[in-house]
Amino acid sequence: MNSNTVITISRQYGCGGRELAEILAKKLNVKLYDRQIVHIAAAKLGINDLSEQDLLDLENTVHPLTLTFMPFHSFGTRMGESSRGMFLSEASVVRKLANDGPCVILGRCADYVLEDMSNHFSIFVCANDEYREKRGKEVYEGKTLKELDAENEKRARYYNYYTGKKWGEASNYDLIVNTSNAPLDKIADAIIEYINTVK
């Protein structure tokens, strides 16, 4: 694999995508970025005093019916930056991290943000409902399949709105991986082998 390869991972909720990203980063001895990007982006916007939930709300304010973003959000007595401003700030952070060296980036529409970079490889991770339902009970504190699907709907709305593309559409990614029928460690090895073959 090219020594400066950046891997981006998008995933269905409940499929083990985060664990797969962690395994990949460890095997490749590179950094894994996810929520840190949100905090760096918020700091760039000068909004350091928000809670984790406030940041999550700020990011995910794509209205489910009209697909229009709310221009401003009030946190206490002050106005926060727009959700679009947050997205643009995150995109800037993603590009800087990718330019700084090899890494694995989880979520954050990073596949879209880095699509023009030749050293970038994008993966979408999915699983069948039975596997996700089982993990919902065992790994995600008893979440039902319906709850997992609701989170997927939020991710899809956010991605579709900010990228103009369809979340999970095979043609948007270099590789689609189904985690339902093999250990994540083996899947990680297969991904690395595949990237070595095509990159």
Side-chain angles (χ1 to χ4, degrees):
M1 183 182 302
N2 193 317
S3 62
N4 70 338
T5 299
V6 174
I7 299 172
T8 57
I9 296 181
S10 303
R11 80 282 188 205
Q12 286 183 322
Y13 195 44
C15 71
R18 176 179 297 281
E19 292 92 326
L20 182 60
E22 289 169 354
I23 293 167
L24 272 172
K26 188 172 181 182
K27 284 178 179 288
L28 296 170
N29 194 30
V30 299
K31 290 181 180 175
L32 169 64
Y33 297 108
D34 177 21
R35 295 298 299 169
Q36 310 98 307
I37 292 170
V38 182
H39 291 283
I40 296 168
K44 283 178 58 137
L45 291 172
I47 46 177
N48 298 306
D49 57 342
L50 301 186
S51 70
E52 193 77 19
Q53 186 58 50
D54 287 338
L55 287 171
L56 196 61
D57 291 344
L58 180 58
E59 285 186 288
N60 297 314
T61 48
V62 178
H63 195 281
L65 297 176
T66 63
L67 294 183
T68 58
F69 72 96
M70 304 292 286
F72 292 98
H73 306 276
S74 178
F75 297 104
T77 58
R78 58 166 294 194
M79 298 300 284
E81 288 286 337
S82 72
S83 54
R84 180 174 291 279
M86 186 65 173
F87 173 78
L88 293 173
S89 185
E90 282 188 18
S92 170
V93 171
V94 165
R95 287 195 74 86
K96 182 178 187 322
L97 293 172
N99 284 320
D100 282 349
C103 59
V104 176
I105 301 175
L106 187 63
R108 328 271 40 109
C109 298
D111 59 285
Y112 170 77
V113 173
L114 302 178
E115 66 181 354
D116 63 330
M117 292 183 69
S118 60
N119 64 324
H120 164 235
F121 190 88
S122 61
I123 301 169
F124 187 83
V125 186
C126 61
N128 63 37
D129 286 350
E130 184 181 357
Y131 179 84
R132 290 174 56 240
E133 187 169 36
K134 184 171 185 285
R135 282 181 58 85
K137 291 174 186 170
E138 297 172 359
V139 182
Y140 296 87
E141 301 173 349
K143 279 188 168 40
T144 64
L145 185 60
K146 186 176 180 181
E147 289 173 306
L148 299 179
D149 286 342
E151 180 62 29
N152 279 340
E153 288 170 14
K154 280 200 313 189
R155 289 180 179 182
R157 278 197 306 271
Y158 184 84
Y159 183 91
N160 299 351
Y161 179 72
Y162 283 112
T163 70
K165 296 186 173 189
K166 187 176 180 185
W167 182 76
E169 178 92 27
S171 60
N172 293 337
Y173 310 93
D174 295 306
L175 184 66
I176 304 286
V177 177
N178 187 321
T179 58
S180 306
N181 300 310
L184 295 177
D185 194 72
K186 281 192 174 181
I187 292 171
D189 287 338
I191 289 170
I192 293 168
E193 185 177 346
Y194 183 76
I195 295 174
N196 282 333
T197 303
V198 301
K199 276 286 185 189

